[in-house]
Amino acid sequence: MLAQRTIQTLIRAVGVGLHSGQRVELTLRPAPVGTGIVFTRIDLPEPEPVPVSAQAVFDTRLASTIGREGARISTIEHIMSACAGLGIDNLYIDLTAEEVPILDGSAAGFVYLLRKAGIALQGAPKQFVRVRKPVEVRTESLGERKWARLEPYHGYRLSFEIDFSHPAVDSTGQCVSFDMGQGNYARDIARARTFGFTRDVEMLRANGLALGGGYDNAIVMDDYKVLNQDGLRYDDEFARHKILDAIGDLYILGKPLLASYSAYRSGHAMNNQLLHALLADEQAWELVSFGDEKQAPQGFALSSLAW
């Protein structure tokens, strides 16, 4: 049986929010079978658990934000990406502030925490959302084209193409593909950092955003080059981070996908629109599990790779 997963023991970390700049304590706790990923703002007078779901997302400007009855949790995509990459089905995530800590701007810190806590197999089959027919969302505004698409695939494969028209980005790989069953998420994707431009910083901070951003948790560029002294972690780190974000955004569905995802210039908003389009068509998906691991996609039973 391809089993559900949680962590073995509680683990904590402290950091700051990328946009809020606030100090936040993060606690990860094991959760029972069938719980899913549940965030709780323990700083509120009456902590309200917020299970992740496509319907819980209410803000996608620069990050994926979920909420319920006054409990807002923002910038969840990196920790959700780490959970997807390590196959974590059930987890309690407690926060002492609104925003998940940015750590180093990638998902590597969350991968480290989850692995240090230990991965525990649970006594129930992992459930997947298997895509049965193509689903697509797209937009064209002022000549700018964006789209995202899910297609049937026995596994989980992602392909992303970027186009920023910036010298530092244009000189790197513009398109990245990653197969969860054949690649290694922690090695190939998790270390890719978020990125931003100095020309946007003043505007963002005037709007109360990017208050916790800096060279230690983002790739920063002026009009011509990368300003970080250590350079890039991957030759195509920008495109890889978009894959990292997409993995996290799509895992907000609440269950892992069996699908091929492809996108051009998509972002948090379009990824969420894609989930809503999928769920709206009952003929486009089905829930499946694997009582025999041999029937699962190649590599999915290997913890060193993905599931």
Side-chain angles (χ1 to χ4, degrees):
M1 176 182 72
L2 197 58
Q4 293 183 30
R5 292 182 169 194
T6 187
I7 57 176
Q8 293 179 357
T9 187
L10 177 150
I11 193 166
R12 292 188 173 95
V14 178
V16 298
L18 173 64
H19 294 298
S20 66
Q22 286 184 303
R23 180 184 184 275
V24 56
E25 296 178 16
L26 169 83
T27 302
L28 308 180
R29 298 185 287 120
V33 163
T35 301
I37 312 295
V38 180
F39 288 84
T40 303
R41 288 277 305 280
I42 61 174
D43 60 312
L44 298 178
E46 297 183 10
E48 183 72 26
V50 183
V52 298
S53 71
Q55 293 76 18
V57 176
F58 72 90
D59 193 344
T60 52
R61 292 170 297 175
L62 301 178
S64 287
T65 300
I66 61 174
R68 177 179 175 182
E69 298 179 12
R72 175 186 172 104
I73 301 103
S74 63
T75 319
I76 70 170
E77 59 271 12
H78 295 176
I79 193 168
M80 290 300 298
S81 185
C83 288
L86 297 184
I88 302 296
D89 300 277
N90 306 303
L91 185 68
Y92 292 124
I93 303 174
D94 299 336
L95 298 169
T96 61
E98 174 185 312
E99 192 173 13
V100 176
I102 192 62
L103 302 183
D104 75 341
S106 76
F110 300 117
V111 168
Y112 171 79
L113 289 171
L114 292 167
R115 284 180 163 173
K116 187 174 182 180
I119 308 299
L121 297 181
Q122 298 178 285
K126 178 188 289 286
Q127 287 190 314
F128 296 84
V129 172
R130 177 160 60 193
V131 173
R132 301 179 60 193
K133 68 178 189 180
V135 176
E136 181 178 288
V137 293
R138 63 171 55 237
T139 182
E140 290 198 30
S141 176
L142 301 176
E144 292 189 352
R145 179 170 55 95
K146 301 178 182 181
W147 55 266
R149 181 180 178 90
L150 289 170
E151 299 176 89
Y153 178 65
H154 189 57
Y156 191 26
R157 179 176 60 198
L158 303 101
S159 178
F160 203 107
E161 184 176 355
I162 60 175
D163 181 11
F164 282 91
S165 299
H166 184 282
V169 181
D170 292 348
S171 64
T172 70
Q174 303 288 290
C175 185
V176 168
S177 294
F178 176 73
D179 194 306
M180 193 72 82
Q182 299 175 23
N184 184 306
Y185 172 84
R187 179 194 65 204
D188 301 333
I189 300 297
R191 296 179 62 249
R193 294 161 294 175
T194 192
F195 53 93
F197 306 94
T198 55
R199 63 173 182 250
D200 297 330
V201 169
E202 184 174 342
M203 177 193 68
L204 288 171
R205 290 184 172 171
N207 287 278
L209 299 170
L211 301 178
Y215 295 112
D216 58 344
N217 55 31
I219 304 169
V220 182
M221 292 169 285
D222 61 15
D223 290 338
Y224 305 100
K225 63 184 181 300
V226 171
L227 300 179
N228 303 62
Q229 290 186 352
D230 56 350
L232 299 178
R233 294 176 176 176
Y234 306 98
D235 290 340
D236 48 8
E237 188 169 359
F238 303 105
R240 289 189 191 229
H241 185 78
K242 298 298 285 186
I243 290 274
L244 185 157
D245 275 350
I247 291 172
D249 287 341
L250 296 176
Y251 201 44
I252 293 173
L253 182 63
K255 290 180 171 59
L257 281 164
L258 293 178
S260 177
Y261 164 89
S262 54
Y264 174 71
R265 300 183 68 242
S266 182
H268 305 300
M270 182 160 281
N271 290 335
N272 189 250
Q273 291 168 16
L274 183 62
L275 292 184
H276 280 277
L278 174 68
L279 294 173
D281 186 349
E282 294 182 357
Q283 302 301 312
W285 61 276
E286 62 182 346
L287 288 177
V288 298
S289 57
F290 299 98
D292 182 353
E293 291 185 1
K294 294 180 182 179
Q295 296 177 346
Q298 179 184 358
F300 274 37
L302 302 177
S303 61
S304 61
L305 295 179
W307 290 283

